[in-house]
PDB file of all heavy atoms in Angstrom:
ATOM      1  N   ARG A 456       2.549   2.630   4.091  1.00  0.00           N
ATOM      2  CA  ARG A 456       2.344   3.300   5.369  1.00  0.00           C
ATOM      3  C   ARG A 456       3.209   2.679   6.451  1.00  0.00           C
ATOM      4  O   ARG A 456       3.859   3.348   7.261  1.00  0.00           O
ATOM      5  CB  ARG A 456       0.912   3.326   5.765  1.00  0.00           C
ATOM      6  CG  ARG A 456       0.633   3.974   7.118  1.00  0.00           C
ATOM      7  CD  ARG A 456      -0.790   3.769   7.586  1.00  0.00           C
ATOM      8  NE  ARG A 456      -1.761   4.449   6.747  1.00  0.00           N
ATOM      9  CZ  ARG A 456      -2.186   5.709   6.993  1.00  0.00           C
ATOM     10  NH1 ARG A 456      -1.707   6.354   8.054  1.00  0.00           N
ATOM     11  NH2 ARG A 456      -3.074   6.264   6.228  1.00  0.00           N
ATOM     12  N   ARG A 457       3.126   1.334   6.478  1.00  0.00           N
ATOM     13  CA  ARG A 457       3.923   0.614   7.516  1.00  0.00           C
ATOM     14  C   ARG A 457       5.435   0.847   7.307  1.00  0.00           C
ATOM     15  O   ARG A 457       6.182   1.050   8.227  1.00  0.00           O
ATOM     16  CB  ARG A 457       3.605  -0.844   7.541  1.00  0.00           C
ATOM     17  CG  ARG A 457       4.250  -1.614   8.652  1.00  0.00           C
ATOM     18  CD  ARG A 457       4.065  -3.098   8.447  1.00  0.00           C
ATOM     19  NE  ARG A 457       4.623  -3.540   7.153  1.00  0.00           N
ATOM     20  CZ  ARG A 457       4.508  -4.762   6.632  1.00  0.00           C
ATOM     21  NH1 ARG A 457       3.761  -5.615   7.267  1.00  0.00           N
ATOM     22  NH2 ARG A 457       5.066  -5.045   5.538  1.00  0.00           N
ATOM     23  N   THR A 458       5.899   0.703   6.034  1.00  0.00           N
ATOM     24  CA  THR A 458       7.317   0.829   5.771  1.00  0.00           C
ATOM     25  C   THR A 458       7.811   2.308   5.999  1.00  0.00           C
ATOM     26  O   THR A 458       8.829   2.520   6.549  1.00  0.00           O
ATOM     27  CB  THR A 458       7.604   0.476   4.301  1.00  0.00           C
ATOM     28  OG1 THR A 458       7.158  -0.885   4.103  1.00  0.00           O
ATOM     29  CG2 THR A 458       9.146   0.502   4.064  1.00  0.00           C
ATOM     30  N   ALA A 459       6.917   3.252   5.596  1.00  0.00           N
ATOM     31  CA  ALA A 459       7.325   4.678   5.758  1.00  0.00           C
ATOM     32  C   ALA A 459       7.465   5.034   7.252  1.00  0.00           C
ATOM     33  O   ALA A 459       8.147   6.060   7.515  1.00  0.00           O
ATOM     34  CB  ALA A 459       6.294   5.572   5.103  1.00  0.00           C
ATOM     35  N   ALA A 460       6.850   4.292   8.135  1.00  0.00           N
ATOM     36  CA  ALA A 460       7.020   4.578   9.563  1.00  0.00           C
ATOM     37  C   ALA A 460       8.387   4.307  10.042  1.00  0.00           C
ATOM     38  O   ALA A 460       8.798   4.786  11.166  1.00  0.00           O
ATOM     39  CB  ALA A 460       6.000   3.804  10.374  1.00  0.00           C
ATOM     40  N   VAL A 461       9.170   3.534   9.282  1.00  0.00           N
ATOM     41  CA  VAL A 461      10.556   3.185   9.735  1.00  0.00           C
ATOM     42  C   VAL A 461      11.642   3.628   8.772  1.00  0.00           C
ATOM     43  O   VAL A 461      12.794   3.702   9.152  1.00  0.00           O
ATOM     44  CB  VAL A 461      10.701   1.618  10.004  1.00  0.00           C
ATOM     45  CG1 VAL A 461       9.771   1.268  11.130  1.00  0.00           C
ATOM     46  CG2 VAL A 461      10.347   0.816   8.744  1.00  0.00           C
ATOM     47  N   LYS A 462      11.300   3.886   7.478  1.00  0.00           N
ATOM     48  CA  LYS A 462      12.252   4.293   6.526  1.00  0.00           C
ATOM     49  C   LYS A 462      11.565   4.992   5.363  1.00  0.00           C
ATOM     50  O   LYS A 462      10.401   4.610   5.062  1.00  0.00           O
ATOM     51  CB  LYS A 462      13.166   3.148   6.029  1.00  0.00           C
ATOM     52  CG  LYS A 462      12.414   2.025   5.368  1.00  0.00           C
ATOM     53  CD  LYS A 462      13.390   0.835   5.062  1.00  0.00           C
ATOM     54  CE  LYS A 462      13.861   0.194   6.323  1.00  0.00           C
ATOM     55  NZ  LYS A 462      14.657  -1.029   6.051  1.00  0.00           N
ATOM     56  N   PRO A 463      12.150   5.949   4.666  1.00  0.00           N
ATOM     57  CA  PRO A 463      11.457   6.733   3.637  1.00  0.00           C
ATOM     58  C   PRO A 463      11.162   5.808   2.427  1.00  0.00           C
ATOM     59  O   PRO A 463      11.965   4.976   2.026  1.00  0.00           O
ATOM     60  CB  PRO A 463      12.467   7.807   3.264  1.00  0.00           C
ATOM     61  CG  PRO A 463      13.428   7.891   4.429  1.00  0.00           C
ATOM     62  CD  PRO A 463      13.496   6.540   4.959  1.00  0.00           C
ATOM     63  N   VAL A 464       9.990   6.087   1.836  1.00  0.00           N
ATOM     64  CA  VAL A 464       9.566   5.436   0.580  1.00  0.00           C
ATOM     65  C   VAL A 464       9.355   6.549  -0.435  1.00  0.00           C
ATOM     66  O   VAL A 464       8.413   7.374  -0.241  1.00  0.00           O
ATOM     67  CB  VAL A 464       8.317   4.566   0.739  1.00  0.00           C
ATOM     68  CG1 VAL A 464       7.839   3.971  -0.527  1.00  0.00           C
ATOM     69  CG2 VAL A 464       8.539   3.495   1.826  1.00  0.00           C
ATOM     70  N   VAL A 465      10.103   6.585  -1.494  1.00  0.00           N
ATOM     71  CA  VAL A 465      10.034   7.626  -2.564  1.00  0.00           C
ATOM     72  C   VAL A 465       9.492   6.960  -3.825  1.00  0.00           C
ATOM     73  O   VAL A 465      10.025   5.948  -4.264  1.00  0.00           O
ATOM     74  CB  VAL A 465      11.365   8.285  -2.818  1.00  0.00           C
ATOM     75  CG1 VAL A 465      11.211   9.485  -3.721  1.00  0.00           C
ATOM     76  CG2 VAL A 465      12.027   8.718  -1.484  1.00  0.00           C
TER      77      VAL A 465
END
Side-chain angles (χ1 to χ4, degrees):
R456 178 190 291 271
R457 185 190 59 187
T458 305
V461 295
K462 58 187 68 174
V464 177
V465 187

